[in-house]
Amino acid sequence: GESVGLHLPTLSVQEGDNSIINCAYSNSASDYFIWYKQESGKGPQFIIDIRSNMDKRQGQRVTVLLNKTVKHLSLQIAATQPGDSAVYFCAEVIQGAQKLVFGQGTRLTINP
Amino acid sequence: GAGVSQTPSNKVTEKGKYVELRCDPISGHTALYWYRQSLGQGPEFLIYFQGTGAADDSGLPNDRFFAVRPEGSVSTLKIQRTERGDSAVYLCASSLGPTSYEQYFGPGTRLTVT
């Protein structure tokens, strides 16, 4: 069925290091992907998106990579800061639908 | 500007009771979504409104769940005969319109059914 999953449920990195969060998706008809950050007690916060006709997109300290051949998505965060500690979700939009399909999430912890 | 707001932030109710959860989307956003998030899981889609009409309600789990958006702005999610399994955080999101996939989420309503 439709699913978006993550390789690692938890990730710890040292402050200042780069982090990479991975996501696998199963629906080849998905044409849009978003990464969200969710802090405790808050709703998901939009970080960056990418359309299926792209393989890379950069934002401020974040880069999303899309590999459609293996249905893999990654979020790279450069020079991590304590405020980056949160749960990160990838989500996909299947072509023709409007809803987001989320994965389980990865908890990112930044160690001082 | 103001983001998506949801009320109440917390709701505790007894099994079998009726509850209403409210969402106030970002001004000018015509698309509105409801999701449900269980502990440790990603949000799960419930229903999507474009304007006043429900364009996709395929995620509603059963007929105890119903949502309305009578004037195309504020939406109310209604749950009848609540069950303990309904306990979750209910999230609302809005986007500019049907061609915009960028959804902005509210803080959620934490529903606890005792």
Side-chain angles (χ1 to χ4, degrees):
Chain A
E2 304 163 2
S3 66
V4 175
L6 293 168
H7 296 309
L8 296 172
T10 60
L11 179 64
S12 292
V13 299
Q14 292 297 120
E15 183 178 351
D17 287 353
N18 299 334
S19 65
I20 300 176
I21 301 171
N22 296 301
C23 175
Y25 65 94
S26 61
N27 199 316
S28 58
S30 296
D31 64 357
Y32 182 75
F33 303 87
I34 308 176
W35 280 100
Y36 281 93
K37 172 187 180 183
Q38 188 172 28
E39 297 174 281
S40 181
K42 298 184 179 180
Q45 176 189 354
F46 177 94
I47 300 174
I48 192 168
D49 58 358
I50 189 167
R51 291 197 175 272
S52 60
N53 61 355
M54 304 170 68
D55 53 19
K56 182 179 181 179
R57 190 160 188 227
Q58 288 185 290
Q60 187 176 15
R61 286 200 304 118
V62 294
T63 301
V64 56
L65 299 177
L66 176 62
N67 185 330
K68 293 182 287 295
T69 302
V70 296
K71 296 179 189 168
H72 183 268
L73 193 69
S74 68
L75 175 70
Q76 300 177 2
I77 305 174
T80 52
Q81 304 168 357
D84 293 331
S85 293
V87 177
Y88 289 80
F89 293 97
C90 65
E92 62 180 320
V93 177
I94 298 165
Q95 191 175 31
Q98 199 71 16
K99 62 186 179 184
L100 295 173
V101 177
F102 284 83
Q104 186 176 13
T106 292
R107 179 173 299 281
L108 177 65
T109 301
I110 310 303
N111 301 315
Chain B
V4 177
S5 62
Q6 293 186 245
T7 55
S9 55
N10 281 284
K11 175 72 177 177
V12 180
T13 190
E14 292 180 348
K15 178 177 178 297
K17 299 290 188 183
Y18 168 82
V19 296
E20 290 190 351
L21 312 179
R22 176 189 167 108
C23 172
D24 206 330
I26 293 172
S27 178
H29 281 193
T30 64
L32 184 146
Y33 312 79
W34 284 99
Y35 293 82
R36 178 168 71 173
Q37 186 174 27
S38 300
L39 190 64
Q41 303 293 319
E44 294 180 309
F45 171 79
L46 295 176
I47 187 169
Y48 153 56
F49 287 90
Q50 180 53 47
T52 60
D56 182 354
D57 64 358
S58 62
L60 294 177
N62 51 59
D63 60 7
R64 294 188 297 106
F65 288 75
F66 189 72
V68 296
R69 196 185 183 200
E71 297 179 357
S73 57
V74 170
S75 176
T76 304
L77 178 66
K78 308 180 181 193
I79 309 174
Q80 298 177 322
R81 303 183 304 280
T82 51
E83 300 177 356
R84 293 194 179 90
D86 298 335
S87 296
V89 175
Y90 289 82
L91 293 162
C92 177
S94 69
S95 68
L96 274 172
T99 60
S100 172
Y101 294 134
E102 194 170 320
Q103 297 182 20
Y104 296 89
F105 283 82
T109 294
R110 180 175 296 280
L111 175 66
T112 303
V113 181
T114 62

